């Protein structure tokens, strides 16, 4: 049985995840990897977003991390949700979120999912092809459609354009025409510049293209009132979000001065930083390789209890880099080493090359900003358990700053269900 924690610890002041992890490790014979979740960080990120981009309402992309406490916190704060499947819509609705706070933002949908959206009144959905228009016409003719256009960042960790989005110039006008002929209602335009954007001007470029599609749609008799600027906002703690906000706000003023509704679909921005992963070193191997004309080089292989089939899956998909931190300082000078996951697969390599002080079996490492595309991709290959969140915490002051948040841990009247955070049960336990 997978079991995590179902309560939120309120702390007098903000706590660094390291100190929280230290406490958990010290409290007993912990041998499995685990997360701690700083819900205060979710609140801070929400406040920061609203401060920087007050015109844009975030619809959190559930696929990035469907942790129930994260979703509940965002729901309580008033976020909308970007759902990509029937199951995600169900999950969000189970938390008490009304359907008008959900956008079905998967342009390519199964018929049963369209029917489900129709049954529960999730009206807004994206599309990018004629086939999808036909399916929607048949199964949900009253849907409020958002055309997804393609406009890629020149640089992003994970581009999405090869799979989704129609060309704004060569394809969008035709699709808008077909939609009009079918008597379908197009209410807006969306795009996704790519996950983990590194070219911030890409938002400005995509918004200018969206503005042209707005005009085209209006000229064909649609009435566009929604701009959806998608996701891609980095989850890091640097100032990327400030830079993106500058680009986006400026372009809003120029291309969308009117009072239209503007939303976004951030995933990583909200999910990454609140979660810190703790892993334990359970074995160590010294290896030495002989190189021609060189002395033998020794290096150390550390084996930890979580790997690429668990929280570090992005290393395979995105060749993402991870940076370990020691829980307890070790005084020796850093030496070359590599860090390996627990499965029998040689691909299960978390950190190929780094320098760390000499570690011992039983030492713990932590990895920060691990909440995005980690737990959701984890599986129990080789019988290695998927890490669970051992503790959620939030500083008192932030929690009490929002009435809905306070309700979350009080009574059954709260819009939030606080049953055990058991992911298997959560999926089975949903009934409409
Ligand atoms: C994955 C996805 C997102 C979230 O992307 P992030 O890069 O995590 O912000 C948003 N919208 C759509 C349609 C997606 O597929």
């Amino acid at each position: 049985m997978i079991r995590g924690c179902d309560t939120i610890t309120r702390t007098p002041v903000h706590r660094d995840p390291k100190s929280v992890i230290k406490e958990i490790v010290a409290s007993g014979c912990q041998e499995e990897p685990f997360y701690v979740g700083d819900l205060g960080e979710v609140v801070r990120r929400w406040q920061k977003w609203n401060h920087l981009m007050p015109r844009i309402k975030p619809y959190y992309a559930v696929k990035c991390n469907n942790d129930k406490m994260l979703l509940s916190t965002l729901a309580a704060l008033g976020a909308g949700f970007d759902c990509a499947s029937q199951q995600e819509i169900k999950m969000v609705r189970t938390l008490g979120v009304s359907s008008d706070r959900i956008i079905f933002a998967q342009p390519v949908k199964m018929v049963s999912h369209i029917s489900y959206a129709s049954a529960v009144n999730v009206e807004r959905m994206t599309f990018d092809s004629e086939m999808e228009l036909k399916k929607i016409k048949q199964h949900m003719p009253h849907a409020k459609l958002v055309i997804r256009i393609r406009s890629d960042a020149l640089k992003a960790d994970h581009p999405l354009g090869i799979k989704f989005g129609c060309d704004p110039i060569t394809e969008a006008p035709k699709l808008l025409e077909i939609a009009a002929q079918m008597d379908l209602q197009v209410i807006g335009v969306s795009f996704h510049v790519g996950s983990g954007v590194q070219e911030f001007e890409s938002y400005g470029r995509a918004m200018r293209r969206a503005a042209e599609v707005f005009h085209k749609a209006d000229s064909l008799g649609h009435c566009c009132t929604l701009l959806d600027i998608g996701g891609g906002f980095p989850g890091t703690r640097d100032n990327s979000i400030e830079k993106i906000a500058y680009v986006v706000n400026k372009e809003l003023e120029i291309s969308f001065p009117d009072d239209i509704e503007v939303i976004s679909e951030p995933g990583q921005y909200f999910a990454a930083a609140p979660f810190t992963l703790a892993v334990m070193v359970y074995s160590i191997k010294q290896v030495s390789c002989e190189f021609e004309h060189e002395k033998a080089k020794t290096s150390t292989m550390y084996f930890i209890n979580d790997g690429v089939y668990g929280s570090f899956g992005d290393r395979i998909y995105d060749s993402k880099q991870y940076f370990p931190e020691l829980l307890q300082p070790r005084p020796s000078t850093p030496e070359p080493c590599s860090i390996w996951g627990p499965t029998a697969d040689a691909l299960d390599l978390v950190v190929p090359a780094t320098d760390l002080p000499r570690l011992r079996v039983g030492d713990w490492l932590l990895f920060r900003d691990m909440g995005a595309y980690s737990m959701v991709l984890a599986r129990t290959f080789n019988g290695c358990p998927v890490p669970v969140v051992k503790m959620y915490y939030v500083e008192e002051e932030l929690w009490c700053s929002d009435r809905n948040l306070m309700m979350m841990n009080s009574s059954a009247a709260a819009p939030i269900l606080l049953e055990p955070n058991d992911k298997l049960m959560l999926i089975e336990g949903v009934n409409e």
Side-chain angles (χ1 to χ4, degrees):
M1 179 91 103
I2 300 171
R3 195 163 283 281
C5 128
D6 63 345
T7 54
I8 301 163
T9 305
R10 284 187 283 167
T11 60
V13 289
H14 175 242
R15 290 193 63 181
D16 186 73
K18 196 171 190 169
S19 76
V20 178
I21 289 169
K22 262 189 194 155
E23 237 172 62
I24 294 174
V25 167
S27 73
C29 45
Q30 181 67 33
E31 204 188 25
E32 289 176 0
F34 65 92
Y35 283 94
V36 294
D38 178 0
L39 297 179
E41 184 62 21
V42 182
V43 181
R44 278 189 292 277
R45 291 191 154 245
W46 173 260
Q47 290 171 342
K48 185 169 186 176
W49 181 289
N50 287 314
H51 173 68
L52 290 172
M53 292 179 273
R55 257 189 85 183
I56 306 172
K57 178 166 170 174
Y59 279 54
Y60 171 68
V62 176
K63 81 163 191 278
C64 185
N65 183 340
N66 61 9
D67 177 85
K68 209 160 124 193
M69 289 293 190
L70 172 64
L71 296 180
S72 300
T73 305
L74 285 164
L77 289 166
F81 293 88
D82 154 4
C83 297
S85 65
Q86 175 171 345
Q87 197 52 247
E88 287 185 359
I89 295 174
K90 265 190 189 171
M91 192 183 261
V92 168
R93 279 174 47 82
T94 307
L95 299 175
V97 173
S98 59
S99 293
D100 57 358
R101 284 167 65 187
I102 296 173
I103 181 165
F104 194 173
Q106 160 66 287
V108 185
K109 293 175 275 295
M110 312 242 177
V111 161
S112 60
H113 296 204
I114 299 173
S115 303
Y116 177 77
S118 178
V120 300
N121 290 321
V122 172
E123 293 188 320
R124 290 181 292 179
M125 53 183 65
T126 59
F127 76 98
D128 64 1
S129 73
E130 187 176 346
M131 172 63 76
E132 290 299 308
L133 285 177
K134 286 183 182 152
K135 279 157 61 181
I136 292 167
K137 175 72 188 173
Q138 196 181 346
H139 301 280
M140 194 178 173
H142 62 285
K144 294 184 171 150
L145 299 178
V146 177
I147 186 167
R148 166 112 169 238
I149 59 168
R150 178 175 183 180
S151 189
D152 299 343
L154 299 176
K155 199 155 183 253
D157 296 336
H158 201 108
L160 294 163
I162 52 162
K163 186 166 179 185
F164 297 115
C166 61
D167 187 279
I169 295 158
T170 60
E171 295 171 327
K174 182 87 193 134
L175 286 173
L176 291 169
E177 227 173 283
I178 295 170
Q181 282 159 10
M182 286 179 164
D183 208 19
L184 290 168
Q185 194 189 355
V186 178
I187 61 136
V189 181
S190 78
F191 57 78
H192 193 307
V193 292
S195 229
V197 168
Q198 290 164 41
E199 188 230 351
F200 302 147
E201 184 43 41
S202 61
Y203 287 95
R205 194 164 61 241
M207 286 165 74
R208 284 190 289 283
R209 288 177 176 151
E212 283 166 27
V213 177
F214 255 65
H215 296 313
K216 182 75 199 167
D218 288 347
S219 76
L220 288 165
H222 299 293
C223 179
C224 280
T225 54
L226 179 75
L227 172 68
D228 176 355
I229 67 166
F233 314 92
T236 46
R237 288 157 201 268
D238 58 18
N239 63 351
S240 329
I241 195 70
E242 277 93 346
K243 292 182 184 162
I244 292 173
Y246 176 78
V247 172
V248 167
N249 289 334
K250 194 172 65 158
E251 197 57 48
L252 272 183
E253 254 176 58
I254 299 168
S255 297
F256 295 91
D258 303 335
D259 190 23
I260 61 153
E261 186 182 354
V262 189
I263 68 171
S264 60
E265 302 165 353
Q268 296 175 59
Y269 172 78
F270 283 114
F275 293 93
T276 303
L277 174 68
V279 301
M280 194 189 79
V281 175
Y282 72 92
S283 192
I284 301 171
K285 186 158 89 168
Q286 297 289 340
V287 284
S288 65
C289 321
E290 301 261 357
F291 291 102
E292 251 182 300
H293 315 301
E294 276 185 43
K295 276 197 295 192
K297 276 195 178 163
T298 57
S299 94
T300 309
M301 293 168 74
Y302 292 111
F303 293 84
I304 57 173
N305 51 3
D306 196 8
V308 300
Y309 292 97
S311 301
F312 298 98
D314 256 7
R315 225 191 89 67
I316 297 185
Y317 301 118
D318 279 352
S319 44
K320 184 173 161 174
Q321 281 185 298
Y322 296 97
F323 302 96
E325 247 175 78
L326 274 59
L327 191 63
Q328 303 288 355
R330 290 281 177 214
S332 66
T333 48
E335 299 167 355
C337 64
S338 51
I339 302 177
W340 300 75
T343 68
D345 187 348
L347 265 183
D348 195 358
L349 168 60
V350 176
V351 181
T354 186
D355 295 292
L356 290 178
R358 189 163 297 180
L359 303 178
R360 301 181 197 161
V361 165
D363 275 3
W364 286 79
L365 299 173
L366 57 103
F367 292 84
R368 290 178 195 262
D369 302 340
M370 282 295 293
Y373 306 110
S374 51
M375 307 171 207
V376 281
L377 294 170
R379 68 221 109 134
T380 56
F381 177 51
N382 248 196
C384 300
V386 166
V388 293
V389 184
K390 277 257 166 185
M391 181 168 157
Y392 297 93
Y393 58 98
V394 61
E395 56 264 40
E396 190 81 34
E397 194 191 328
L398 274 183
W399 206 244
C400 296
S401 65
D402 188 295
R403 194 181 58 86
N404 291 328
L405 284 177
M406 281 170 67
M407 276 166 62
M408 242 177 87
N409 53 358
S410 57
S411 70
I416 314 301
L417 306 177
L418 288 184
E419 62 195 40
N421 184 23
D422 181 327
K423 285 177 186 159
L424 291 177
M425 259 179 54
L426 181 60
I427 289 168
E428 287 162 10
V430 174
N431 292 310
E432 279 304 323

